[in-house]
Amino acid sequence: KRGNYEPIDFISELDSNTKSVDLVGKTFSLDIKEFGGRKRITLGIQDKAIDGIYVSMYQNGAISDDTLKELANRGTNVRVRGVAHIDEFTKELTIKGHFIDLLPPDEDIIDDAPIKRVELHLHSTMSAQDGVGDAKDYISTALKMGHKAIAITDHGVTQAFPLFQKAAKGKD
């Protein structure tokens, strides 16, 4: 049922007994499939603790194609209202979305420390366990903050090194 949405700060607070939820987070994936002329949207959302959950819904009048383009950008801030349930196909806890609202982007982080640090805990999408960040995004953020280096600490793999090298090439 729609309405009476309960604000949830962390995805870890959800279970299949949680009914109507109101969650704010960032997008990490978007999959769109067409069925009978309707677009089924599966949106990956992460919370402040970087826990993730999928939201599934059909495109409706409130979700324009321009909104879908914005949702495709990793890290887009969104507010989702819907119902938590166990998906019959994946057997995973998901949210059946009723509403998705775009929220304003985060302000850039300013690091005005005279001596910059090197981030020593950084997982990329290549990490075997918990990576959600993209090399280009990490490099862009580090440069905006005036950082000259970052360290990749992916679990069990080193495949991200060429991606980071390519993303950083020519960006002193």
Side-chain angles (χ1 to χ4, degrees):
K1 290 186 174 184
R2 295 175 190 242
N4 297 324
Y5 298 103
E6 179 183 335
I8 300 292
D9 290 321
F10 299 101
I11 292 167
S12 61
E13 297 173 17
L14 293 175
D15 62 33
S16 59
N17 294 318
T18 310
K19 295 301 173 198
S20 296
V21 300
D22 184 341
L23 175 68
V24 172
K26 294 182 178 297
T27 61
F28 66 83
S29 69
L30 175 66
D31 184 49
I32 302 171
K33 291 193 171 30
E34 260 195 66
F35 296 102
R38 295 179 67 199
K39 292 180 182 175
R40 181 175 170 84
I41 303 163
T42 303
L43 183 66
I45 305 239
Q46 67 186 44
D47 64 13
K48 294 178 272 189
I50 312 185
D51 285 330
I53 194 165
Y54 287 104
V55 178
S56 295
M57 65 186 295
Y58 283 96
Q59 184 179 16
N60 57 37
I63 303 173
S64 67
D65 287 337
D66 287 340
T67 299
L68 287 179
K69 288 177 188 172
E70 188 67 30
L71 291 172
N73 296 323
R74 178 188 297 268
T76 299
N77 292 325
V78 294
R79 176 182 179 203
V80 173
R81 284 161 289 158
V83 176
H85 71 102
I86 302 295
D87 184 272
E88 292 177 19
F89 180 71
T90 65
K91 308 297 184 212
E92 297 286 331
L93 184 65
T94 61
I95 296 174
K96 180 180 180 185
H98 297 159
F99 304 99
I100 298 177
D101 301 313
L102 295 174
L103 299 177
D106 294 335
E107 292 182 23
D108 286 339
I109 299 169
I110 297 172
D111 182 357
D112 54 5
I115 299 173
K116 305 298 184 193
R117 65 190 182 97
V118 175
E119 178 58 54
L120 294 176
H121 188 175
L122 184 87
H123 298 287
S124 76
T125 53
M126 296 292 184
S127 185
Q129 291 181 352
D130 57 358
V132 295
D134 179 77
K136 290 178 187 174
D137 295 339
Y138 283 138
I139 296 296
S140 174
T141 300
L143 290 172
K144 285 178 188 174
M145 293 173 68
H147 293 205
K148 299 278 184 194
I150 56 176
I152 307 163
T153 56
D154 287 347
H155 294 283
V157 295
T158 58
Q159 286 96 331
F161 291 138
L163 297 174
F164 276 82
Q165 186 176 25
K166 182 178 178 184
K169 189 173 185 173
K171 295 183 170 102
D172 295 327

